[in-house]
């Protein structure tokens, strides 16, 4: 089993995140379709079969924008079989959460748990991700003014010298 997974991991490589979003909210994500499309032929080639072995779940009613929604949280136990048959098995467990205003929360949670399994099991990353190359000075957004740290440090120094009601008022206004 472990040898078969190592072969799949060695061949699958990275899977790029695609850009998505809704209005002003933009994000990058790696979808389950891209992950399973890359993994499935390699699983078939090396005789790997993944079976959900058990699911624990909870449903939590919430309100989103004044409407009823539900969060489904699942813990899925997986049996991962190798080319040696039912004795050639390892076990894993993942968590998934799905939020929906209809009956899609549970399928979303199961899909998220499966996606988490594949990402971790096969060490899938994005070949474009290089966290060593990220700088945090500025993220390129134009809707947020750059902060002059010397002004902020001066303000913090002045506030720290205040006492009593003056300090409380400045702190309240800062929030």
């Amino acid at each position: 089993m472990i040898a078969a997974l190592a072969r799949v991991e060695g061949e699958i490589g990275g899977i790029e995140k695609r850009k998505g979003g809704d209005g002003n909210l933009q994000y990058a994500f790696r979808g389950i379709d891209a992950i399973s499309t890359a993994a499935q032929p390699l699983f078939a080639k090396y005789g790997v079969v993944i079976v959900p072995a058990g699911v624990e779940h909870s449903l939590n009613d919430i309100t989103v924008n004044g409407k009823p929604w539900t969060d489904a949280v699942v813990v899925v136990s997986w049996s991962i079989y190798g080319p040696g048959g039912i004795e050639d098995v390892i076990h894993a467990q993942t968590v998934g959460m799905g939020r929906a205003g209809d009956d899609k929360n549970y399928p979303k949670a199961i899909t998220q748990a499966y996606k988490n399994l594949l990402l971790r099991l096969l060490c899938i990353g994005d070949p474009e991700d290089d966290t060593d190359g990220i700088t945090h000075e500025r993220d390129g957004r134009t809707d947020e003014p750059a902060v002059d740290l010397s002004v902020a440090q001066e303000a913090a120094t002045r506030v720290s010298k205040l006492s009593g009601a003056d300090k409380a008022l400045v702190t309240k206004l800062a929030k």
Side-chain angles (χ1 to χ4, degrees), residues 117-130:
L117 174 73
L118 293 178
L119 289 173
R120 304 310 175 261
L121 187 67
L122 301 175
C123 300
I124 295 172
D126 185 334
E128 299 298 313
D129 285 347
D130 177 11

Side-chain angles (χ1 to χ4, degrees), residues 34-76:
I35 298 166
S36 58
T37 297
Q40 187 278 327
L42 296 173
F43 285 160
K45 179 178 178 180
Y46 293 111
V48 176
V49 176
I50 299 174
V51 179
V55 178
E56 297 174 29
H57 71 281
S58 66
L59 295 173
N60 305 305
D61 293 327
I62 61 170
T63 302
V64 176
N65 295 326
K67 296 181 181 175
W69 282 56
T70 306
D71 281 347
V73 179
V74 297
V75 178
V76 182

Side-chain angles (χ1 to χ4, degrees), residues 8 12 14-16 29-43 111-112 114-120 122 124-125:
V8 172
I12 200 162
I15 298 173
E16 290 184 21
F29 67 98
R30 204 176 283 106
I32 186 62
D33 291 338
I35 298 166
S36 58
T37 297
Q40 187 278 327
L42 296 173
F43 285 160
T111 299
Q112 188 63 42
Y114 185 57
K115 178 180 172 180
N116 287 339
L117 174 73
L118 293 178
L119 289 173
R120 304 310 175 261
L122 301 175
I124 295 172

Side-chain angles (χ1 to χ4, degrees), residues 40-165:
Q40 187 278 327
L42 296 173
F43 285 160
K45 179 178 178 180
Y46 293 111
V48 176
V49 176
I50 299 174
V51 179
V55 178
E56 297 174 29
H57 71 281
S58 66
L59 295 173
N60 305 305
D61 293 327
I62 61 170
T63 302
V64 176
N65 295 326
K67 296 181 181 175
W69 282 56
T70 306
D71 281 347
V73 179
V74 297
V75 178
V76 182
S77 299
W78 305 93
S79 295
I80 306 156
Y81 296 95
I86 62 171
E87 300 298 321
D88 187 15
V89 63
I90 62 172
H91 302 282
Q93 195 172 63
T94 56
V95 175
M97 190 196 96
R99 175 173 287 176
D102 53 19
D103 62 348
K104 305 291 188 275
N105 52 8
Y106 190 68
K108 287 179 179 182
I110 294 288
T111 299
Q112 188 63 42
Y114 185 57
K115 178 180 172 180
N116 287 339
L117 174 73
L118 293 178
L119 289 173
R120 304 310 175 261
L121 187 67
L122 301 175
C123 300
I124 295 172
D126 185 334
E128 299 298 313
D129 285 347
D130 177 11
T131 56
D132 291 336
I134 294 173
T135 58
H136 297 282
E137 289 81 20
R138 209 143 143 76
D139 64 4
R141 294 188 310 182
T142 57
D143 62 336
E144 187 176 281
V147 175
D148 183 346
L149 291 180
S150 62
V151 171
Q153 289 169 343
E154 175 67 24
T157 301
R158 288 184 183 189
V159 169
S160 70
K161 293 178 182 177
L162 294 174
S163 62

